[in-house]
Amino acid sequence: MFVLQNISYIHSDKELLFDNIHLSVNTKEKIALIANNGAGKSTLLKIIAGQLPPYTGTITVSSKPYYVPQIVDQFDSRSIAQAIGVAGKLDALSEILSGNVSETGLSVLNDDWTVEERCREALSCWGLTGLLFDAKMKTLSGGQKTRVFLAGIKIHNPGIVLLDEPTNHLDVTGRKTLYQFIRETSRTIVVVSHDRTLLNQLEKMYELNRHGIKAYGGNYEFYKEHKTLENTALANSLEDRQKSLRKAKETEREALERQQKQNARGKNQQKKEGTPKALADKMKNDAEKSTAHLKSVHADKIDTLVQELSDLRKEIPDRDKIKFGFDDSALHKGKILVKAEAVNFAYDKKPIWENPLSFQIVSGERIEIKGGNGSGKTTLLKLILGNVAPTCGTIFRADSKTLYIDQEYSLLNPELSVYEQAQTFNDAVLQEYEIKIRLNRFLFSAGFWDKPCAVLSGGERMRLLLCCLAITVQSPDIIVLDEPTNNIDIQNTEILTAAINSYHGTLIVVSHDRYFSEQLNIERRIDLEMG
């Protein structure tokens, strides 16, 4: 178990990331830390792991946690054994078994005579049979690197496991293995992830924000249901405050009109009765004070309502603020866009697929391409897009407008500003203010317009690309999604899902995120087998 008390963290630029974090996790509990990107989930996980010191607060941990990092490329210069912290023991065991017995070697090994066997067994459990312990991490794929660190759990047998976006590089098989491990393990588990299938394996959600943390006693689906209820209540409160504000302004207007009429009547009466000037001035002054007091009373009430409205609007999820408005594809439904007959592609003269592929894609279809790592999904996309030619077979492509969206949203030019990037899609010759209105609809306020695309987060790049899609005169005939959710959080994934479901052209999807692909109303799947 572990306990966090009054934890806060401040960036080096003195900006507060979060404070007032109180969290107690019991032995064998399985929880998730959830929040939008930038809220500090990974930072809090590193604080629990002991890799970062908090600015304030205390941490009590029953045993040393085992940490699986999100960014695995930082270990490229290390060997597999070094990356998972067993190099010393394996070297000591090797020396002892070769006859070089020393006090130092025995101390390092610490009677762990089965360490090599455990390492091989653990790597095998994660589909890494045959890897050499001294192989450099840089020789492995992203998914293999993540599996190496996951194998370290079985090797070190920790009581507490911290997982930071563990499914980012895993294929479907790797994800299923991880889900099974989460379900079956008796260890304390803390997960940071935007993989909603993974989050549904956990028992409790902790939502992190700038000023604290809030617990939801159930898996992600339970959390989502409660957030929906909270957001509905928020929308109702917002509507009530808007009605109250309109009523307050109307009441103020009516009260001021009555006061002005009353003042005018009093003034006329004074003229008729010939009221002395001193008394008339006093009555005029009293009337002005009365009007000023009346204005002040109503202004205070209106100001209070305006502030309440502002506070409520800040709580509205960003996805509910975005306005979609994509045009349909110009192609008629059912037109053949791609037709492949017995195609294959070879690397070093070795065909990727055991059996050549024959298929066709017609306009209006929603297709998912499935397969494990190395099954040729990216190669097939390149064939469909016309970026490579098949080694054998033929492929026909009709004239069409295609938009390719990968996990880095690399269609955007990092050297352009947000506004300049939006302008590159302005084939309708919209005025500057119209472009900026659309940018605002996708949460890009004036502070973003001059920012270079290079500094945008994954979610911001995704929203900018969707904004560009809303600006262009004609939507693409085909949208190709290649692992588009790898670098964006749940909220931005939901924004992308809503946008894609409002698009009525042809969709081709590659994604290991089952939850995401299940939301896209996929009609057909192409399953790939390696040769």
Side-chain angles (χ1 to χ4, degrees):
M1 65 166 290
F2 64 86
V3 178
L4 307 182
Q5 293 180 298
N6 196 32
I7 296 295
S8 68
Y9 187 82
I10 296 179
H11 288 302
S12 56
D13 61 2
K14 307 303 182 184
E15 181 183 356
L16 176 71
L17 183 60
F18 52 69
D19 68 356
N20 195 36
I21 302 298
H22 295 269
L23 175 61
S24 178
V25 178
N26 296 321
T27 302
K28 298 184 180 181
E29 268 197 302
K30 302 170 185 178
I31 72 157
L33 295 175
I34 55 177
N36 296 335
N37 284 351
K41 303 184 298 295
S42 292
T43 298
L44 185 58
L45 206 64
K46 288 178 181 177
I47 289 173
I48 298 169
Q51 295 191 2
L52 279 177
Y55 183 72
T56 63
T58 60
I59 307 168
T60 305
V61 183
S62 61
S63 62
K64 184 180 179 181
Y66 179 84
Y67 174 70
V68 176
Q70 175 184 359
I71 303 173
V72 291
D73 290 346
Q74 60 187 306
F75 299 93
D76 278 358
S77 62
R78 302 185 191 183
S79 68
I80 290 173
Q82 289 171 334
I84 53 178
V86 293
K89 282 190 175 184
L90 290 174
D91 290 343
L93 178 62
S94 178
E95 285 291 306
I96 292 169
L97 293 179
S98 65
N100 297 324
V101 181
S102 67
E103 288 291 334
T104 301
L106 290 170
S107 175
V108 171
L109 186 61
N110 194 27
D111 286 336
D112 192 359
W113 300 100
T114 63
V115 61
E116 184 175 350
E117 180 183 343
R118 290 203 327 279
C119 287
R120 295 192 188 283
E121 182 183 349
L123 290 172
S124 178
C125 284
W126 288 95
L128 299 173
T129 303
L131 284 185
L132 299 176
F133 299 133
D134 60 356
K136 292 293 185 183
M137 290 285 284
K138 67 181 178 183
T139 64
L140 308 180
S141 68
Q144 288 174 319
K145 292 172 187 175
T146 299
R147 290 169 189 248
V148 165
F149 284 103
L150 290 170
I153 300 171
K154 189 176 181 70
I155 295 167
H156 293 286
N157 195 29
I160 303 171
V161 177
L162 310 176
L163 303 172
D164 192 358
E165 299 289 2
T167 60
N168 269 10
H169 301 288
L170 294 181
D171 59 12
V172 173
T173 301
R175 291 185 182 215
K176 286 181 178 178
T177 303
L178 178 60
Y179 302 155
Q180 183 178 358
F181 163 75
I182 295 290
R183 288 193 298 268
E184 296 178 355
T185 187
S186 59
R187 296 176 174 87
T188 303
I189 302 289
V190 183
V191 176
V192 167
S193 179
H194 60 258
D195 179 345
R196 290 163 290 184
T197 304
L198 171 58
L199 296 177
N200 275 331
Q201 316 301 315
L202 304 168
E203 303 161 348
K204 192 179 291 187
M205 306 287 111
Y206 284 89
E207 185 181 65
L208 179 65
N209 61 55
R210 188 179 179 86
H211 299 296
I213 197 165
K214 182 177 180 180
Y216 292 82
N219 65 8
Y220 178 75
E221 286 299 325
F222 177 88
Y223 162 79
K224 188 177 178 182
E225 288 174 8
H226 278 256
K227 288 299 290 185
T228 299
L229 293 174
E230 288 179 7
N231 291 335
T232 300
L234 176 62
N236 291 336
S237 295
L238 187 65
E239 185 178 354
D240 288 343
R241 293 298 187 283
Q242 288 171 331
K243 288 180 180 177
S244 297
L245 181 59
R246 287 194 295 270
K247 181 65 176 175
K249 288 181 176 179
E250 180 66 18
T251 301
E252 178 192 38
R253 184 185 63 78
E254 292 173 350
L256 287 173
E257 285 179 353
R258 285 196 301 270
Q259 183 68 37
Q260 287 167 353
K261 289 178 180 178
Q262 182 179 333
N263 292 345
R265 283 197 299 270
K267 191 173 182 180
N268 291 333
Q269 189 67 27
Q270 291 168 26
K271 287 181 179 179
K272 288 181 180 179
E273 297 176 354
T275 304
K277 185 176 184 305
L279 180 59
D281 288 345
K282 181 180 182 304
M283 294 174 69
K284 178 183 177 183
N285 188 48
D286 289 344
E288 288 175 349
K289 285 182 179 179
S290 178
T291 301
H293 176 70
L294 186 63
K295 285 182 178 180
S296 176
V297 169
H298 285 282
D300 287 344
K301 183 175 182 180
I302 288 172
D303 287 346
T304 299
L305 287 168
V306 168
Q307 185 59 51
E308 288 176 355
L309 266 174
S310 177
D311 293 340
L312 285 170
R313 287 191 177 110
K314 289 176 183 176
E315 296 180 35
I316 297 174
D318 286 344
R319 65 177 180 273
D320 294 336
K321 301 175 186 176
I322 291 181
K323 307 297 182 186
F324 300 114
F326 304 135
D327 290 333
D328 292 343
S329 165
L331 298 179
H332 68 270
K333 197 173 181 68
K335 177 180 179 180
I336 296 177
L337 301 179
V338 179
K339 185 173 184 179
E341 295 184 357
V343 298
N344 212 327
F345 191 86
Y347 289 100
D348 297 326
K349 299 183 179 180
K350 182 181 179 181
I352 292 182
W353 302 297
E354 183 176 351
N355 299 309
L357 303 176
S358 296
F359 61 88
Q360 71 177 25
I361 298 172
V362 301
S363 62
E365 280 194 298
R366 299 172 86 84
I367 300 171
E368 181 181 16
I369 298 174
K370 294 182 61 179
N373 288 345
S375 62
K377 299 186 297 297
T378 299
T379 301
L380 180 54
L381 288 183
K382 289 179 179 178
L383 287 169
I384 292 171
L385 294 168
N387 295 336
V388 298
T391 306
C392 65
T394 60
I395 187 164
F396 160 80
R397 303 177 199 85
D399 288 336
S400 58
K401 182 180 179 182
T402 302
L403 184 71
Y404 175 70
I405 302 177
D406 61 4
Q407 59 185 290
E408 302 296 336
Y409 297 89
S410 52
L411 186 65
L412 302 178
N413 185 341
E415 297 181 0
L416 296 180
S417 70
V418 168
Y419 175 77
E420 289 169 341
Q421 181 65 68
Q423 270 287 13
T424 64
F425 282 76
N426 185 18
D427 45 16
V429 197
L430 299 177
Q431 297 296 311
E432 179 178 336
Y433 77 92
E434 294 176 293
I435 296 291
K436 290 177 176 177
I437 287 173
R438 283 160 175 77
L439 285 169
N440 269 305
R441 287 177 185 169
F442 284 82
L443 313 181
F444 292 105
S445 57
F448 277 94
W449 297 340
D450 293 327
K451 280 188 177 181
C453 293
V455 304
L456 300 181
S457 69
E460 288 166 346
R461 291 197 298 272
M462 180 275 294
R463 284 191 278 106
L464 180 55
L465 190 55
L466 292 180
C467 179
C468 292
L469 190 60
I471 288 171
T472 189
V473 167
Q474 185 63 53
S475 289
D477 303 311
I478 306 173
I479 291 181
V480 178
L481 300 177
D482 189 0
E483 298 291 359
T485 64
N486 269 11
N487 297 313
I488 61 177
D489 59 23
I490 291 175
Q491 179 168 261
N492 280 300
T493 298
E494 290 176 344
I495 290 170
L496 177 62
T497 303
I500 294 301
N501 282 336
S502 70
Y503 165 74
H504 299 293
T506 307
L507 182 68
I508 302 172
V509 182
V510 170
S511 178
H512 292 314
D513 185 341
R514 306 269 25 99
Y515 199 106
F516 170 68
S517 59
E518 286 170 2
Q519 303 297 308
L520 299 181
N521 303 312
I522 297 297
E523 301 165 343
R524 183 161 65 89
R525 289 176 173 81
I526 299 175
D527 291 304
L528 300 180
E529 297 178 1
M530 296 178 63

